Amino acid sequence: QGAKSKSCWISHVHCFFTVPSACFYWLTQPVDFWSSQWMLEGPGGDLNDWMRCTVAFSVGYFVNDMVLILMDPEVGGMDMLVHHILCIGFWGGGLLDKCGTAYHFLFMIEELPTPFLNLRFQFRDSKDGIIYKVSQAGFVILFFLSRIVIGTGIMACNATTMPAYYALQSSWTKAHIVGQSVAWILSRVLNFFWFSKIVKIVLRGGHKQHFDEDKLD
């Protein structure tokens, strides 16, 4: 479990920087998730730089974690590998083409449950302890709120204005938007798939013993 443990600690560092950055933005700056132009082009100026720096740091993390997954499958399964490839490819592409970075930045709020998932693994041998129990509950609640409710809600709201914005773009931008949209849809599929695993863990008594999510069928 050495590689898995390293992945958890690196993930903690990633969350330490990206989650406060995204949350602070949500709390202090206007977020126009109804506007496709705002979500794809960003708010402009220094706020764009704030988003780009945070997303770039996150892309670096996903590259590192993907290497760990390829070196040791215990770090994550195929679903995790697909997730990382999507983030590296489309977040990185968005940075280079200046398309969708605001989307990617705001979606970092979905990392809120990740520290609790890491702690759940790190304290799996102390399942009767307070840290494990709090991590278990915190992960389930925050996963549902951030990824199923907020993340999916943002996409649903933005989809209402996307057709009008899309029609005004160049052929290249249209192709990029289509690619980003496919990635966003796939990310929803992955999150609902992971949530189904969480439900299985709860139904199988996950509050009483540790289950390895990658071993669930």
Side-chain angles (χ1 to χ4, degrees), residues 59-90:
V59 170
Y61 157 73
F62 284 120
V63 171
N64 180 85
D65 204 52
M66 184 178 71
V67 172
L68 288 177
I69 293 173
L70 293 172
M71 291 175 59
D72 190 340
E74 287 295 321
V75 175
M78 184 58 67
D79 51 343
M80 188 69 71
L81 185 61
V82 170
H83 172 266
H84 285 20
I85 291 173
L86 285 173
C87 289
I88 294 166
F90 288 94

Side-chain angles (χ1 to χ4, degrees), residues 8 19 27 35 52 54 64 68 79 87 117-118 131 133 146 165 193-194 209-210:
C8 286
V19 172
L27 293 171
S35 169
R52 288 174 60 81
T54 306
N64 180 85
L68 288 177
D79 51 343
C87 289
L117 176 64
N118 294 332
I131 295 179
K133 291 180 179 179
S146 66
Y165 176 81
F193 169 69
W194 286 331
Q209 56 184 309
H210 180 80

Side-chain angles (χ1 to χ4, degrees), residues 53-217:
C53 287
T54 306
V55 173
F57 178 83
S58 194
V59 170
Y61 157 73
F62 284 120
V63 171
N64 180 85
D65 204 52
M66 184 178 71
V67 172
L68 288 177
I69 293 173
L70 293 172
M71 291 175 59
D72 190 340
E74 287 295 321
V75 175
M78 184 58 67
D79 51 343
M80 188 69 71
L81 185 61
V82 170
H83 172 266
H84 285 20
I85 291 173
L86 285 173
C87 289
I88 294 166
F90 288 94
W91 291 21
L95 287 170
L96 293 174
D97 200 32
K98 297 184 178 180
C99 178
T101 296
Y103 232 124
H104 306 146
F105 173 78
L106 293 178
F107 267 67
M108 286 184 186
I109 197 172
E110 293 190 337
E111 291 299 310
L112 275 170
T114 302
F116 294 97
L117 176 64
N118 294 332
L119 289 171
R120 179 179 173 275
F121 172 80
Q122 292 171 318
F123 286 85
R124 64 195 181 283
D125 295 328
S126 303
K127 62 180 181 297
D128 293 326
I130 186 65
I131 295 179
Y132 185 89
K133 291 180 179 179
V134 170
S135 299
Q136 184 99 313
F139 172 68
V140 173
I141 294 170
L142 289 175
F143 189 100
F144 176 73
L145 291 176
S146 66
R147 299 193 176 214
I148 304 303
V149 177
I150 296 177
T152 305
I154 289 174
M155 287 189 61
C157 292
N158 190 237
T160 62
T161 61
M162 184 65 76
Y165 176 81
Y166 178 85
L168 300 174
Q169 305 309 307
S170 66
S171 297
W172 169 251
T173 302
K174 285 181 178 178
H176 195 159
I177 291 173
V178 169
Q180 293 284 352
S181 298
V182 170
W184 295 329
I185 292 171
L186 289 175
S187 74
R188 292 308 93 197
V189 172
L190 276 173
N191 279 313
F192 276 95
F193 169 69
W194 286 331
F195 190 67
S196 72
K197 283 190 169 186
I198 294 171
V199 172
K200 286 183 179 180
I201 289 173
V202 173
L203 293 178
R204 295 185 186 186
H207 61 291
K208 298 178 180 178
Q209 56 184 309
H210 180 80
F211 280 101
D212 185 345
E213 297 87 344
D214 293 326
K215 299 299 188 339
L216 285 176
D217 51 29

Side-chain angles (χ1 to χ4, degrees), residues 38-57:
W38 192 96
M39 294 296 288
L40 291 170
E41 298 178 16
D46 292 340
L47 295 178
N48 267 13
D49 293 336
W50 177 356
M51 293 178 173
R52 288 174 60 81
C53 287
T54 306
V55 173
F57 178 83

